[in-house]
PDB file of all heavy atoms in Angstrom:
ATOM      1  N   GLU A1777     -41.975 -25.583 -72.884  1.00  0.00           N
ATOM      2  CA  GLU A1777     -40.792 -25.523 -73.716  1.00  0.00           C
ATOM      3  C   GLU A1777     -39.953 -24.252 -73.362  1.00  0.00           C
ATOM      4  O   GLU A1777     -38.701 -24.376 -73.293  1.00  0.00           O
ATOM      5  CB  GLU A1777     -41.126 -25.464 -75.214  1.00  0.00           C
ATOM      6  CG  GLU A1777     -41.197 -26.816 -75.829  1.00  0.00           C
ATOM      7  CD  GLU A1777     -41.577 -26.580 -77.282  1.00  0.00           C
ATOM      8  OE1 GLU A1777     -41.051 -25.611 -77.965  1.00  0.00           O
ATOM      9  OE2 GLU A1777     -42.392 -27.359 -77.744  1.00  0.00           O
ATOM     10  N   LYS A1778     -40.591 -23.177 -73.229  1.00  0.00           N
ATOM     11  CA  LYS A1778     -39.952 -21.899 -72.960  1.00  0.00           C
ATOM     12  C   LYS A1778     -39.289 -21.940 -71.606  1.00  0.00           C
ATOM     13  O   LYS A1778     -38.142 -21.479 -71.441  1.00  0.00           O
ATOM     14  CB  LYS A1778     -40.934 -20.745 -72.997  1.00  0.00           C
ATOM     15  CG  LYS A1778     -41.532 -20.520 -74.343  1.00  0.00           C
ATOM     16  CD  LYS A1778     -40.610 -19.776 -75.230  1.00  0.00           C
ATOM     17  CE  LYS A1778     -41.242 -19.380 -76.549  1.00  0.00           C
ATOM     18  NZ  LYS A1778     -40.270 -18.884 -77.520  1.00  0.00           N
ATOM     19  N   ILE A1779     -39.964 -22.575 -70.660  1.00  0.00           N
ATOM     20  CA  ILE A1779     -39.358 -22.689 -69.246  1.00  0.00           C
ATOM     21  C   ILE A1779     -38.103 -23.571 -69.347  1.00  0.00           C
ATOM     22  O   ILE A1779     -37.001 -23.173 -68.869  1.00  0.00           O
ATOM     23  CB  ILE A1779     -40.377 -23.325 -68.273  1.00  0.00           C
ATOM     24  CG1 ILE A1779     -41.668 -22.378 -68.152  1.00  0.00           C
ATOM     25  CG2 ILE A1779     -39.752 -23.557 -66.937  1.00  0.00           C
ATOM     26  CD1 ILE A1779     -42.777 -23.060 -67.368  1.00  0.00           C
ATOM     27  N   ARG A1780     -38.163 -24.664 -70.046  1.00  0.00           N
ATOM     28  CA  ARG A1780     -37.001 -25.593 -70.169  1.00  0.00           C
ATOM     29  C   ARG A1780     -35.809 -24.874 -70.849  1.00  0.00           C
ATOM     30  O   ARG A1780     -34.676 -25.115 -70.481  1.00  0.00           O
ATOM     31  CB  ARG A1780     -37.383 -26.821 -70.907  1.00  0.00           C
ATOM     32  CG  ARG A1780     -38.343 -27.741 -70.200  1.00  0.00           C
ATOM     33  CD  ARG A1780     -38.703 -29.007 -70.948  1.00  0.00           C
ATOM     34  NE  ARG A1780     -39.876 -29.698 -70.424  1.00  0.00           N
ATOM     35  CZ  ARG A1780     -41.018 -29.808 -70.953  1.00  0.00           C
ATOM     36  NH1 ARG A1780     -41.276 -29.411 -72.211  1.00  0.00           N
ATOM     37  NH2 ARG A1780     -42.005 -30.459 -70.355  1.00  0.00           N
ATOM     38  N   ALA A1781     -36.133 -23.993 -71.786  1.00  0.00           N
ATOM     39  CA  ALA A1781     -35.061 -23.311 -72.548  1.00  0.00           C
ATOM     40  C   ALA A1781     -34.347 -22.256 -71.643  1.00  0.00           C
ATOM     41  O   ALA A1781     -33.220 -21.918 -71.873  1.00  0.00           O
ATOM     42  CB  ALA A1781     -35.652 -22.637 -73.767  1.00  0.00           C
ATOM     43  N   ARG A1782     -35.094 -21.722 -70.631  1.00  0.00           N
ATOM     44  CA  ARG A1782     -34.522 -20.624 -69.793  1.00  0.00           C
ATOM     45  C   ARG A1782     -33.814 -21.135 -68.556  1.00  0.00           C
ATOM     46  O   ARG A1782     -32.878 -20.499 -68.081  1.00  0.00           O
ATOM     47  CB  ARG A1782     -35.623 -19.698 -69.444  1.00  0.00           C
ATOM     48  CG  ARG A1782     -36.175 -18.910 -70.580  1.00  0.00           C
ATOM     49  CD  ARG A1782     -36.320 -17.428 -70.507  1.00  0.00           C
ATOM     50  NE  ARG A1782     -36.427 -16.733 -69.268  1.00  0.00           N
ATOM     51  CZ  ARG A1782     -37.533 -16.024 -68.993  1.00  0.00           C
ATOM     52  NH1 ARG A1782     -38.631 -16.160 -69.673  1.00  0.00           N
ATOM     53  NH2 ARG A1782     -37.498 -15.203 -67.936  1.00  0.00           N
ATOM     54  N   VAL A1783     -34.258 -22.254 -68.006  1.00  0.00           N
ATOM     55  CA  VAL A1783     -33.747 -22.688 -66.822  1.00  0.00           C
ATOM     56  C   VAL A1783     -32.643 -23.748 -67.006  1.00  0.00           C
ATOM     57  O   VAL A1783     -32.934 -24.845 -67.640  1.00  0.00           O
ATOM     58  CB  VAL A1783     -34.818 -23.254 -65.841  1.00  0.00           C
ATOM     59  CG1 VAL A1783     -34.278 -23.783 -64.490  1.00  0.00           C
ATOM     60  CG2 VAL A1783     -35.914 -22.185 -65.635  1.00  0.00           C
ATOM     61  N   LYS A1784     -31.418 -23.500 -66.596  1.00  0.00           N
ATOM     62  CA  LYS A1784     -30.304 -24.374 -66.955  1.00  0.00           C
ATOM     63  C   LYS A1784     -30.393 -25.745 -66.349  1.00  0.00           C
ATOM     64  O   LYS A1784     -30.005 -26.787 -67.004  1.00  0.00           O
ATOM     65  CB  LYS A1784     -28.965 -23.699 -66.628  1.00  0.00           C
ATOM     66  CG  LYS A1784     -28.690 -22.564 -67.536  1.00  0.00           C
ATOM     67  CD  LYS A1784     -27.307 -21.974 -67.334  1.00  0.00           C
ATOM     68  CE  LYS A1784     -27.023 -20.824 -68.245  1.00  0.00           C
ATOM     69  NZ  LYS A1784     -26.351 -19.748 -67.548  1.00  0.00           N
ATOM     70  N   ASP A1785     -30.710 -25.844 -65.050  1.00  0.00           N
ATOM     71  CA  ASP A1785     -30.776 -27.188 -64.426  1.00  0.00           C
ATOM     72  C   ASP A1785     -32.095 -27.878 -64.882  1.00  0.00           C
ATOM     73  O   ASP A1785     -33.154 -27.434 -64.478  1.00  0.00           O
ATOM     74  CB  ASP A1785     -30.753 -26.956 -62.929  1.00  0.00           C
ATOM     75  CG  ASP A1785     -30.722 -28.277 -62.137  1.00  0.00           C
ATOM     76  OD1 ASP A1785     -31.228 -29.311 -62.651  1.00  0.00           O
ATOM     77  OD2 ASP A1785     -30.238 -28.253 -60.995  1.00  0.00           O
ATOM     78  N   PRO A1786     -31.977 -28.961 -65.628  1.00  0.00           N
ATOM     79  CA  PRO A1786     -33.156 -29.629 -66.136  1.00  0.00           C
ATOM     80  C   PRO A1786     -34.086 -30.110 -65.052  1.00  0.00           C
ATOM     81  O   PRO A1786     -35.313 -30.187 -65.212  1.00  0.00           O
ATOM     82  CB  PRO A1786     -32.608 -30.845 -66.905  1.00  0.00           C
ATOM     83  CG  PRO A1786     -31.106 -30.723 -66.912  1.00  0.00           C
ATOM     84  CD  PRO A1786     -30.669 -29.611 -66.019  1.00  0.00           C
TER      85      PRO A1786
END
Side-chain angles (χ1 to χ4, degrees):
E1777 266 180 41
K1778 295 283 188 189
I1779 297 172
R1780 291 182 193 115
R1782 291 227 341 245
V1783 179
K1784 287 190 183 136
D1785 182 333

